[in-house]
Amino acid sequence: MTTNRMTLTLPEDSRLRQPEFLYGVATASFQIEGAAETRQPSIWDRFCATPGKIRDGSNGLQACEHVRYWREDVALIESLGVDAYRLSVSWGRLLNADGSINESGAQFYLDLMDELNRKGIRVFVTLYHWDLPQHLEDKGGWLNRDTAYQFRDYADKASRLFGSRVYAYATLNEPFCSAYLGYEIGIHAPGKAKRSYGRQAAHNLLLAHGLAMSVLRKNCPDGLHGIVLNFTPCYPLSSSPADKAAARYADDYFNQWFIRPLFTGEYPAILSSLEEADRPHIEPGDMAIIAEPLDYLGVNYYTREIYRASPDAPFETVQLDNVERTDIGWEVCPEAFTELLCSLHKKYPLPPIYITENGAATADEPVGERVADEQRIRYYQSHLNAVHKAIEAGVDIRGYFAWSLMDNFEWAEGYLKRFGIVYVDYPTQKRIIKDSGLAYRDAIVWRSHK
Ligand code: FCB
C-alpha cells in the first residue's frame, strides 16, 4: 500500500521563502569519499582499524564511493533543486606528506567544483572536517602547536588552487568535537583522553582557525570566510539555583568555550576554575589571532542536553523520559534551536549566520523505490519553523543546509545511523531519494511561486 507523501511547508511571509535565502545539503570528505588508497591515511583510518572503536567495526575505505560516483552525486544534488553544496576537503587527499600538492586529489576537487559551478550550485568548502593526516598526528596532532601552522599552509595552498570556485570557506567544522571527543574523552579519533589534552587541542584548533582566516582573506578577497561551530544548548533539570549553575557551567565548558574567544578574545571565566595543569598553554598574541573578524558564522544544531548539580563534579547529565528522540537517541527539541540562535545574537556581535548542519537520524528501510521517512520530515519542518522564529526575533540567518545529502559513515556509529535525505544501499551504492529529500526539494523549488 502506498501512502501520500508528507510535505514540508515554509512559513508564510518568511525570509525562508525568499530566493536569496540559500538552501543546501552538506557532507564531509571522510564520511562519503572512499578511495582511501589515493590519499594520505588520516586519524580516522587509524581509529577505525583499532578494535572496539566503531560500533559496527566498519571504516571509511569505501564509504559512499563518492570519488568514483561524484558526477552522479552532483546530478543528484542538482535534482534536489538546492542553491548550495557544503563539502569538505580532505587535507590528506589535497596534500602529500611533504606538503606538495597531490595532483590527482587536486584534480578531483577542481572537477567537482567546476561541475557544481556549471550547474549554478554555490560551493561551501570546509577545510577541516576531522580527518587530520596521520603523519601529523604522529608528531602530536592537535596537541602540537605546529599543527596550527601546518593548517595555515594547507589553507593557503587550497585557497590558491581553488580560486574563485569557492563561494564560502569554513576553516574548521565543530572544533568542540575534534578537541573534546577526540582528545579529552577519546570516543573519536585519535582516541586520546585527558582533560589537559582536550583543552590544549581546542586552543590549537582555534589558533589554526585564526591563522587560516587571514590567509583566506588574502587569497580570496571576494569569498566569505568563517568557521562552523556546533551547539548543544544546556538546560537545567529544575529551576533550583544549583541546577541552573550546573547548566551554566556545562554551557561554558562545551559551547561558549569555542565561540566566546572568537568574539571577545577571551575564554569563559571558568578557565580559572580548572586545575593549573589542565589549562591550555596560550602564547602572547594568540587570542588576537583567534578573534580575527568573521564574514559569517556556521551553526550546527541537532539537540539539547539537560544538567543537574552534582556533589562530585561541576555538573551531571540527565536523560529525560517521555521525550521524542531520533534513532541516535538525541532529543527532538526545536524550541532550543530558536533559543540558541536568539541567545547567541544577544551575547555576541555576530556576523550573518548560516545553519550549516541540521537533521535527524532515522532507521530507514526502503520499500521498493520508496523511503517514507516521516519523522525526518517532521524534524525538518519543526526546525525550519524554529529558524523562522529566530529570524523574526532579529537574528540574521542567510541559509540552511540539511545534514546530510546522503547516508554516510557516521563516525563512531559506523554505518548504523542514517542521516541522509537520500538513502544509500552500501553494497550496490544505489541512491534513492527519500520522501524527506522530495519534500525538501518541493519546498525549495516552489518557495518563490507560492
Ligand atoms: C555533526 C558532524 C557531522 C555528522 C553529524 C550527524 O557533529 O559535523 O559530520 O556526523 O554530526
Side-chain angles (χ1 to χ4, degrees):
M1 196 186 85
T2 50
T3 46
N4 285 341
R5 226 176 4 96
M6 198 184 248
T7 55
L8 261 178
T9 311
L10 300 176
E12 296 283 341
D13 299 324
S14 167
R15 188 193 268 188
L16 294 190
R17 287 210 175 191
Q18 287 166 11
E20 299 75 37
F21 188 87
L22 296 186
Y23 286 93
V25 284
T27 62
S29 48
F30 191 85
Q31 295 179 278
I32 64 163
E33 284 182 357
E37 68 291 348
T38 53
R39 57 159 170 76
Q40 296 295 309
S42 85
I43 53 174
W44 274 93
D45 294 302
R46 176 70 62 87
F47 195 66
C48 291
T50 312
K53 299 296 185 193
I54 310 297
R55 260 183 69 200
D56 58 357
S58 64
N59 55 52
L61 300 180
Q62 269 91 41
C64 304
E65 294 190 48
H66 174 67
V67 167
R68 181 166 168 199
Y69 295 113
W70 67 272
R71 271 185 204 281
E72 288 85 342
D73 289 338
V74 172
L76 185 66
I77 295 167
E78 185 185 28
S79 80
L80 291 169
V82 294
D83 311 298
Y85 175 45
R86 174 176 176 242
L87 63 108
S88 87
V89 168
S90 156
W91 188 339
R93 187 178 298 287
L94 194 73
L95 298 189
N96 297 313
D98 65 1
S100 61
I101 303 255
N102 168 20
E103 296 300 335
S104 69
Q107 201 56 52
F108 165 69
Y109 291 117
L110 290 171
D111 290 345
L112 174 62
M113 291 175 191
D114 283 342
E115 181 85 348
L116 287 161
N117 280 315
R118 256 197 305 277
K119 292 182 185 293
I121 299 165
R122 291 192 172 125
V123 179
F124 278 63
V125 163
T126 305
L127 288 169
Y128 185 71
H129 201 125
W130 309 355
D131 44 358
L132 186 72
Q134 181 63 41
H135 64 85
L136 291 176
E137 181 59 32
D138 294 341
K139 296 192 188 122
W142 289 112
L143 300 179
N144 181 353
R145 192 180 162 85
D146 185 55
T147 300
Y149 293 88
Q150 298 290 330
F151 181 75
R152 177 175 66 181
D153 176 63
Y154 157 54
D156 182 38
K157 287 175 177 147
S159 53
R160 280 172 199 266
L161 180 74
F162 301 146
S164 59
R165 292 173 179 86
V166 177
Y167 179 77
Y169 276 103
T171 52
L172 307 176
N173 177 68
E174 303 188 349
F176 159 81
C177 293
S178 304
Y180 183 76
L181 304 180
Y183 289 86
E184 191 158 333
I185 62 168
I187 61 169
H188 275 190
K192 300 215 161 126
K194 216 177 188 187
R195 170 168 295 173
S196 61
Y197 290 171
R199 297 296 119 180
Q200 190 61 54
H203 182 70
N204 292 342
L205 278 152
L206 289 172
L207 179 65
H209 153 76
L211 290 168
M213 277 300 289
S214 38
V215 162
L216 293 172
R217 277 260 154 67
K218 187 167 106 268
N219 293 349
C220 305
D222 298 332
L224 295 179
H225 307 300
I227 186 171
V228 171
L229 301 180
N230 63 305
F231 296 90
T232 305
C234 303
Y235 285 75
L237 180 63
S238 76
S239 57
S240 78
D243 284 354
K244 281 186 172 167
R248 248 192 328 269
Y249 194 102
D251 184 48
D252 279 346
Y253 200 74
F254 296 131
N255 299 316
Q256 308 304 326
W257 198 277
F258 295 86
I259 185 169
R260 192 161 194 272
L262 300 177
F263 293 105
T264 69
E266 285 174 347
Y267 286 108
I270 59 161
L271 174 68
S272 58
S273 75
L274 300 184
E275 304 267 344
E276 181 91 48
D278 290 336
R279 295 184 207 156
H281 170 72
I282 302 172
E283 293 200 357
D286 283 3
M287 300 313 287
I289 294 172
I290 290 173
E292 177 79 23
L294 302 170
D295 299 330
Y296 80 97
L297 175 69
V299 171
N300 293 355
Y301 172 84
Y302 291 92
T303 189
R304 68 164 180 173
E305 286 282 2
I306 311 288
Y307 295 91
R308 71 170 162 224
S310 150
D312 334 296
F315 54 81
E316 191 181 325
T317 314
V318 184
Q319 287 290 304
L320 293 182
D321 295 328
N322 304 322
V323 292
E324 184 187 352
R325 292 184 185 276
T326 61
D327 191 44
I328 200 163
W330 299 345
E331 181 191 348
V332 177
C333 189
E335 298 76 20
F337 194 13
T338 306
E339 285 178 16
L340 164 72
L341 293 163
C342 293
S343 79
L344 295 178
H345 174 63
K346 213 161 93 194
K347 277 199 186 90
Y348 302 110
L350 296 179
I353 288 181
Y354 285 90
I355 307 303
T356 33
E357 283 181 32
N358 180 233
T362 61
D364 305 314
E365 289 282 356
V367 177
E369 290 286 303
R370 170 132 188 239
V371 181
D373 54 339
E374 298 202 340
Q375 189 191 18
R376 181 174 291 107
I377 300 178
R378 278 189 278 112
Y379 184 97
Y380 280 124
Q381 182 69 70
S382 59
H383 287 73
L384 283 165
N385 292 348
V387 172
H388 166 70
K389 282 190 191 138
I391 294 173
E392 292 287 282
V395 189
D396 184 4
I397 305 171
R398 307 269 174 102
Y400 176 95
F401 289 78
W403 182 272
S404 179
L405 163 65
M406 58 185 159
D407 297 336
N408 56 49
F409 177 78
E410 180 45 36
W411 310 112
E413 300 287 329
Y415 295 96
L416 298 175
K417 301 299 170 203
R418 294 181 177 273
F419 274 93
I421 58 173
V422 173
Y423 184 88
V424 177
D425 178 55
Y426 297 107
T428 61
Q429 289 297 337
K430 186 176 154 118
R431 280 90 159 115
I432 302 172
I433 304 181
K434 300 179 192 178
D435 280 4
S436 60
L438 299 172
Y440 193 55
R441 176 199 65 191
D442 290 349
I444 296 167
V445 170
W446 292 105
R447 70 185 185 263
S448 39
H449 300 274
K450 278 183 188 163

